[in-house]
Amino acid sequence: GTLPLDLNEVEFLLKVESSALGYGAPGLPKGLKLNKDQASMLGKLSKLPAFSNLINHLNSNTDAWQEVVEGRNTSSDPEKDEEKESEGVESVTFPKGWELSTENGSIHQSSFRKLLLSRVFRPELMDTAAKEFVASIFGKEFFNQVEDPHLDQLVRVETRPGTPLLLVTFPGYDASVRVMNLARTMVMDGKCTALAMGSPEGFSQ
């Protein structure tokens, strides 16, 4: 059967460009520190029926949502994926209660709406939220069908600090997320710098 997803919510995920929205979110609490793009996307998201109570919840639970924005409530869940834990992949937990009481959505809807929230509040974690959505449909075993190299093992054991590594991936997947997550687990915050290949910064290093 088909997934019970709202087409307007799907369109928000696929088509909304934050820079093209041109408006913010009326009623946004002053204590919530969002950039212009986030506020603009939040204004669009809050107009969707399932998210119509979101602004009220933000005002009533500003501190909890600010923790989301600042990344202070991220965690690695060892029960979800052993590899995920070993590489320090973050997963964000959103405050509960923003959903309308009349919304009794399926686990697929809940995971998909978490993906929409991630796009607004923690866009850098969208890949993790997308993986959780896919797992809610096909099961966690879906990602174990293809052997995936353990980057942590490769970096810590099989190579030296001066050994260059080339990560080959497929279009649409940003492997740099895994590198930066691994850097966090190795306490390298501030010591790891991302440079785009071919950029002036890359040539100057």
Side-chain angles (χ1 to χ4, degrees):
T2 58
L3 289 175
L5 298 180
D6 186 291
L7 292 181
N8 290 322
E9 295 178 14
V10 175
E11 184 176 7
F12 175 86
L13 177 67
L14 299 179
K15 296 184 178 181
V16 169
E17 292 294 337
S18 57
S19 59
L21 292 177
Y23 55 84
L28 190 66
K30 294 182 179 180
L32 191 62
K33 308 301 182 183
L34 301 178
N35 61 40
K36 291 182 179 180
D37 283 347
Q38 287 176 307
S40 189
M41 284 197 293
L42 179 57
K44 179 69 174 179
L45 182 65
S46 64
K47 293 183 181 299
L48 297 176
F51 295 86
S52 60
N53 187 50
L54 181 57
I55 297 297
N56 289 334
H57 196 270
L58 289 173
N59 279 280
S60 301
N61 303 272
T62 305
D63 290 343
W65 283 97
Q66 186 59 36
E67 287 187 3
V68 172
V69 175
E70 296 177 358
R72 289 186 282 127
N73 73 332
T74 54
S75 63
S76 182
D77 188 344
E79 295 183 357
K80 285 186 176 181
D81 191 330
E82 181 178 343
E83 178 185 343
K84 183 177 179 180
E85 179 195 23
S86 65
E87 295 191 3
V89 177
E90 292 178 300
S91 178
V92 63
T93 300
F94 294 99
K96 298 184 181 298
W98 63 267
E99 307 92 335
L100 293 174
S101 59
T102 56
E103 287 286 332
N104 295 314
S106 66
I107 186 174
H108 309 316
Q109 288 176 318
S110 298
S111 295
F112 187 76
R113 287 167 182 164
K114 181 177 179 180
L115 182 57
L116 302 188
L117 290 173
S118 296
R119 179 168 191 190
V120 174
F121 294 100
R122 296 297 303 279
E124 76 278 14
L125 296 183
M126 276 192 64
D127 62 323
T128 303
K131 185 174 181 179
E132 291 177 3
F133 171 62
V134 172
S136 75
I137 301 170
F138 298 104
K140 292 182 291 186
E141 296 77 13
F142 178 80
F143 296 98
N144 298 329
Q145 298 182 48
V146 179
E147 184 177 354
D148 195 14
H150 290 264
L151 187 59
D152 180 270
Q153 171 77 10
L154 185 64
V155 171
R156 295 177 187 269
V157 180
E158 299 181 25
T159 62
R160 292 177 171 272
T163 304
L165 297 176
L166 177 64
L167 303 183
V168 181
T169 183
F170 50 85
Y173 181 81
D174 185 6
S176 66
V177 175
R178 297 185 63 185
V179 176
M180 299 308 292
N181 284 332
L182 177 59
R184 291 191 189 98
T185 67
M186 299 177 69
V187 196
M188 293 183 63
D189 285 340
K191 301 178 182 178
C192 182
T193 303
L195 298 173
M197 293 181 65
S199 68
E201 293 83 3
F203 286 114
S204 66
Q205 296 298 314

